[in-house]
Amino acid sequence: MNNFYKSNLLIGIFVNIGISCFGQSKYTYDGDSVYMMRLDSAHTLKYETVVDTLCYDPLNQERDIGEIKTYDCNFLSRVSFSNCHFNAAADFKYSIFNKTAHFNSTSFAKKASFIYAKFKGTSEFQRANFQIVKFDGSEFNLEADLSGSTFKDTAFFRSTTFKQGAYFIRTKFDNTANFNWTQFWRDAEFSKAIFSNYAYFTHLSFGETAMFTFYKTILPDTIDFSNNNRIKNEINLLNADYTSPRHYDKKRDFYYKRHVINLHASDLSKFRFEYKYFVLDLRKLSYDERTTIYEGMLQNFKDHGQNESYELLDIEYQKFKHPWSSWLQLIWWNFGYNKELVFGWTFGLIFILTLVTWFFYNTLNSIVYKFDNLPIPPRRKKLTKLWYSFIYTSSIFFKLTLKIENINFKYRLGVFYLLVVYTLGIVCIAYMANFVLQK
């Protein structure tokens, strides 16, 4: 549309509704309908008293609007900006929408501001397209529907109040979504929404029946639920969509990039998720704070019978508590979750110790600690010597007691080796007994 049409369109909108919203003072329009300008089939400008659509023509084409400043306005009648295209900044801060506000399929090419706006009627932003938008401090008295909308840049909903349902179904957040300090009095629906980088849900306030729904939602790389210690109902992430190529390799069936989740200073009992898809954000936290989160989530997984999640988190917790020795617990028996590994280590140790004993068999069996029924074979019979070395090593390894009177303490290295074999054997016996008893 040429500049003449654009300018006359804006004149038609604001002059005919009888308000001027470009100053700091508040203006009120209390008519029964809003005068709007339309284009007829011949593209001839005319005025009509239409409340259904604004910036709409019979050919279903978008109408371009330049910079619009309607801050501090009081709209008493229904307002519709559906199908509009704002090619410059749109400023609605401090405005009051007393009845339904329609912004369906509206496109904002630049910044849009609804800071401290009040929506007393139903607000509809379905399939709207935003760049950077701010709803900070806004108040939605009735349902707020932003389903199918796209936020190309950061979406700010800080300190926003949703007194009825807040709907973000199939909404796409291409950048950061910030809901810090927001009040949700009723349900918040994020089903099939798509998040990208970051989503912040800190310091939230909830109504008694408020429920968060993330059914088939593609979650962000980092999701922050910190400082939420007054959660009324569970925040369930079990049914989210974990097949996004940003995190999941379908061919290898491997979740290669887990979501980072921050739960610091929150009620850990209210969160439901499988830990294989997440990793706790514990940066900048003290040792005690980290311990509290680990133990709280372990209790959560235990209470809900989530054994796989419990195992993953417990292993991570053990590594955190024992940073210098955790490697040994890992390879020895995977922190107790693969106890059968002990049998493999037992046979492996016997094999290695048998080879060591083979080199010193004659000295060990004749001088250090003697077994009368194990002879000293001739040098040429190496396989026989290897067999005797295996018997000698196994006898010491699985022996519960050593006869002190049979040990020749004059050969210190030999006695030291003898005690090493005996100690390793006692340790393996204890772990194998533990495995058998717990079966």
Side-chain angles (χ1 to χ4, degrees), residues 20-28 71-73:
S20 174
C21 302
F22 296 94
Q24 294 297 324
S25 59
K26 183 177 292 185
Y27 294 85
T28 301
Y71 55 82
D72 204 19
C73 287

Side-chain angles (χ1 to χ4, degrees), residues 71-344:
Y71 55 82
D72 204 19
C73 287
N74 189 2
F75 298 94
L76 296 185
S77 297
R78 182 172 61 173
V79 177
S80 177
F81 286 89
S82 295
N83 295 301
C84 283
H85 176 71
F86 293 89
N87 54 31
D91 191 352
F92 290 91
K93 63 175 174 283
Y94 300 107
S95 293
I96 300 176
F97 299 86
N98 286 276
K99 294 188 178 180
T100 302
H102 297 275
F103 287 86
N104 296 327
S105 300
T106 301
S107 178
F108 298 86
K110 302 293 183 180
K111 177 181 178 181
S113 177
F114 294 87
I115 296 175
Y116 291 107
K118 291 185 178 181
F119 297 86
K120 295 185 177 182
T122 302
S123 52
E124 298 180 359
F125 289 84
Q126 297 178 28
R127 300 176 303 281
N129 286 278
F130 299 93
Q131 296 300 316
I132 185 170
V133 61
K134 292 185 178 181
F135 285 91
D136 297 339
S138 295
E139 182 177 297
F140 295 86
N141 288 357
L142 296 182
E143 292 183 347
D145 193 350
L146 292 94
S147 299
S149 294
T150 300
F151 297 89
K152 295 293 185 182
D153 209 322
T154 304
F156 290 101
F157 289 87
R158 295 169 297 190
S159 299
T160 303
T161 300
F162 295 97
K163 294 185 177 181
Q164 297 294 327
Y167 301 100
F168 295 87
I169 302 170
R170 298 183 184 273
T171 300
K172 187 177 181 181
F173 299 90
D174 289 340
N175 206 304
T176 300
N178 193 325
F179 290 86
N180 291 344
W181 299 95
T182 295
Q183 298 182 45
F184 294 95
W185 292 20
R186 296 293 180 87
D187 295 350
E189 180 72 67
F190 291 92
S191 294
K192 298 185 180 181
I194 300 176
F195 291 89
S196 295
N197 301 324
Y198 301 92
Y200 296 96
F201 295 92
T202 71
H203 300 92
L204 302 179
S205 296
F206 300 90
E208 291 294 332
T209 61
M211 296 286 292
F212 264 40
T213 303
F214 290 93
Y215 176 72
K216 291 190 176 180
T217 303
I218 295 179
L219 299 175
D221 298 338
T222 300
I223 186 166
D224 190 345
F225 280 111
S226 62
N227 295 286
N228 290 303
N229 54 12
R230 293 179 296 176
I231 304 174
K232 305 298 182 181
N233 298 291
E234 285 186 344
I235 295 179
N236 193 335
L237 304 178
L238 294 173
N239 296 322
D241 185 349
Y242 297 103
T243 61
S244 168
R246 287 170 58 92
H247 298 266
Y248 175 68
D249 187 338
K250 186 176 182 180
K251 291 183 178 179
R252 295 187 297 163
D253 191 24
F254 175 60
Y255 211 75
Y256 62 88
K257 184 179 180 181
R258 294 159 70 185
H259 302 276
V260 178
I261 186 168
N262 189 342
L263 300 175
H264 173 56
S266 292
D267 185 351
L268 302 177
S269 67
K270 298 296 185 179
F271 291 90
R272 297 292 311 279
F273 56 86
E274 294 290 352
Y275 198 61
K276 64 182 178 180
Y277 302 125
F278 293 88
V279 61
L280 292 173
D281 185 359
L282 303 174
R283 297 170 295 177
K284 301 180 181 180
L285 299 183
S286 66
Y287 182 91
D288 290 341
E289 289 173 330
R290 296 183 184 193
T291 299
T292 298
I293 295 175
Y294 273 126
E295 294 181 353
M297 286 310 303
L298 284 172
Q299 188 63 48
N300 181 315
F301 293 143
K302 182 178 180 180
D303 291 342
H304 292 99
Q306 295 175 256
N307 296 331
E308 181 182 2
S309 293
Y310 185 94
E311 177 182 333
L312 288 173
L313 185 59
D314 186 44
I315 290 174
E316 184 179 318
Y317 184 35
Q318 297 303 320
K319 290 179 180 179
F320 164 73
K321 289 197 302 182
H322 310 288
W324 301 107
S325 61
S326 60
W327 64 271
L328 181 59
Q329 290 275 13
L330 176 64
I331 65 174
W332 180 252
W333 66 338
N334 192 27
F335 299 95
Y337 291 101
N338 295 102
K339 295 182 176 67
E340 66 278 2
L341 292 176
V342 174
F343 291 91

Side-chain angles (χ1 to χ4, degrees), residues 299-427:
Q299 188 63 48
N300 181 315
F301 293 143
K302 182 178 180 180
D303 291 342
H304 292 99
Q306 295 175 256
N307 296 331
E308 181 182 2
S309 293
Y310 185 94
E311 177 182 333
L312 288 173
L313 185 59
D314 186 44
I315 290 174
E316 184 179 318
Y317 184 35
Q318 297 303 320
K319 290 179 180 179
F320 164 73
K321 289 197 302 182
H322 310 288
W324 301 107
S325 61
S326 60
W327 64 271
L328 181 59
Q329 290 275 13
L330 176 64
I331 65 174
W332 180 252
W333 66 338
N334 192 27
F335 299 95
Y337 291 101
N338 295 102
K339 295 182 176 67
E340 66 278 2
L341 292 176
V342 174
F343 291 91
W345 279 109
T346 298
F347 293 117
L349 287 172
I350 290 177
F351 174 76
I352 294 172
L353 294 172
T354 296
L355 295 180
V356 176
T357 300
W358 184 81
F359 287 101
F360 307 101
Y361 172 74
N362 294 349
T363 302
L364 289 170
N365 194 32
S366 61
I367 301 176
V368 180
Y369 193 88
K370 186 177 180 180
F371 285 95
D372 293 332
N373 56 345
L374 282 178
I376 305 298
R379 290 185 177 180
R380 65 178 182 273
K381 294 187 176 181
K382 295 183 179 181
L383 290 179
T384 302
K385 182 181 178 181
L386 181 63
W387 170 248
Y388 287 158
S389 297
F390 170 73
I391 298 298
Y392 183 90
T393 302
S394 299
S395 299
I396 300 297
F397 193 90
F398 291 110
K399 203 172 184 63
L400 295 179
T401 59
L402 291 175
K403 295 181 178 180
I404 300 298
E405 62 273 15
N406 292 346
I407 301 176
N408 189 344
F409 290 98
K410 292 181 180 180
Y411 292 87
R412 297 178 180 176
L413 287 178
V415 172
F416 175 77
Y417 175 72
L418 183 73
L419 294 177
V420 168
V421 175
Y422 175 75
T423 302
L424 290 175
I426 291 296
V427 172

